[in-house]
Amino acid sequence: MAFRDHLTDVTIHKGALSCIHGLLNHSISIEHQPFLASNISESPGHSVAINILSRDRLCSALNVEPGELIDILGSSMNNPSKPVIIDDGPVLECHQNIPKLTELPIPWHYSQDRGRYMSASIVIAEYAGVRNVSFHRQFLRDDNHVVARLVPRHLRSMVDAARSNNEEVPIAIVNGADPVVLLAAAMSFNEPLDELSVASAMHRALFGRELEVIKLENGITVPADAEYIMQARITAEDAEEGPYVDITGTV
């Protein structure tokens, strides 16, 4: 079930909204109900979906009770399943060789934030034969750089290992993935576990078939029906990242 499949009953906001505080301000004005904005001042031709995957909405779309979903998460973690690699998919419908990140609808939420952030993105990384899928907020620095905050978890250990070898880590930045991929990316494990295989097992449990993926030119495997995929690399460069208003409401 692609992310866009969850937009069928969402209110469409037709008026112009700005990425600079406008998306958050409108969300506050409608008490954070789900909506789709298709007229973004800084990003003609792009749309933004807000407040879509609440627990109630997700469980309703998947036709499961919250308790059932927890059981499926646990079972998928214990019984991962390899995703199916295909040659083509919706994510490849539109291709841009030299992206200009400032033209994407990346929001600046709170005035206290450093600037515009991708805060619902997942990063898929592979290094030394090991894959990791996880959430990381990313500050939009310029047209082709973001700065990610990597806490001491699996991806950080991969980056540290690569840097010790004077190497970079190839990645894909993914926005608007299948919700089972987002759920797997948000899970924490006692030891490294391939989150895409966990997502594939969830997909099989919910839809009767494994998750379909595509391998990019840089070798990274990504969900075939995601909305935005960006090939990228984590370099040895450090840069300023915050401040940022986190989920707790703390700067």
Side-chain angles (χ1 to χ4, degrees):
M1 191 174 196
F3 181 86
R4 65 180 63 184
D5 294 329
H6 292 263
L7 305 179
T8 54
D9 61 343
V10 172
T11 299
I12 298 176
H13 179 80
K14 296 182 179 179
L17 286 175
S18 172
C19 282
I20 315 302
H21 314 315
L23 293 167
L24 174 64
N25 290 341
H26 180 68
S27 181
I28 292 172
S29 73
I30 60 172
E31 299 181 340
H32 301 298
Q33 293 298 308
F35 72 95
L36 178 70
S38 54
N39 185 358
I40 308 299
S41 303
E42 297 80 5
S43 307
H46 295 273
S47 297
V48 172
I50 304 287
N51 307 324
I52 303 302
L53 298 180
S54 65
R55 186 189 313 183
D56 290 345
R57 282 181 53 82
L58 181 58
C59 288
S60 176
L62 298 176
N63 196 28
V64 296
E65 296 296 326
E68 291 180 85
L69 184 58
I70 294 297
D71 291 340
I72 291 172
L73 292 174
S75 175
S76 301
M77 181 177 64
N78 294 323
N79 301 280
S81 176
K82 286 186 178 181
V84 176
I85 298 178
I86 60 176
D87 295 328
D88 198 4
V91 74
L92 299 180
E93 288 175 358
C94 181
H95 184 81
Q96 190 175 21
N97 286 323
I98 304 176
K100 193 172 183 181
L101 299 180
T102 52
E103 293 181 351
L104 294 178
I106 299 172
W108 183 336
H109 292 298
Y110 294 92
S111 59
Q112 301 99 310
D113 292 344
R114 186 176 188 87
R116 297 167 65 183
Y117 279 82
M118 289 190 287
S119 56
S121 301
I122 58 174
V123 174
I124 302 179
E126 295 186 35
Y127 182 74
V130 177
R131 178 162 57 209
N132 174 255
V133 185
S134 46
F135 281 90
H136 301 277
R137 72 184 192 226
Q138 297 152 58
F139 165 64
L140 176 63
R141 193 179 79 179
D142 52 46
D143 283 341
N144 61 356
H145 291 87
V146 295
V147 184
R149 176 176 180 262
L150 302 183
V151 297
R153 289 184 177 176
H154 191 192
L155 182 57
R156 174 65 177 272
S157 67
M158 294 169 69
V159 172
D160 289 344
R163 286 185 170 187
S164 69
N165 294 324
N166 294 316
E167 294 177 336
E168 298 177 338
V169 178
I171 65 170
I173 299 171
V174 182
N175 283 291
D178 186 315
V180 301
V181 177
L182 302 179
L183 286 169
M187 295 172 71
S188 297
F189 310 117
N190 293 329
E191 57 187 38
L193 187 62
D194 178 14
E195 289 86 357
L196 276 188
S197 293
V198 175
S200 186
M202 276 192 276
H203 200 278
R204 181 184 60 193
L206 291 165
F207 307 113
R209 55 188 175 86
E210 270 68 21
L211 180 75
E212 292 184 339
V213 296
I214 290 173
K215 182 160 286 191
L216 301 178
E217 294 173 359
N218 66 350
I220 302 300
T221 302
V222 300
D225 58 4
E227 296 296 328
Y228 291 84
I229 298 284
M230 289 167 272
Q231 290 190 117
R233 53 196 172 90
I234 300 178
T235 70
E237 180 185 1
D238 289 331
E240 293 294 324
E241 189 271 333
Y244 179 81
V245 177
D246 215 328
I247 192 171
T248 60
T250 304
V251 179

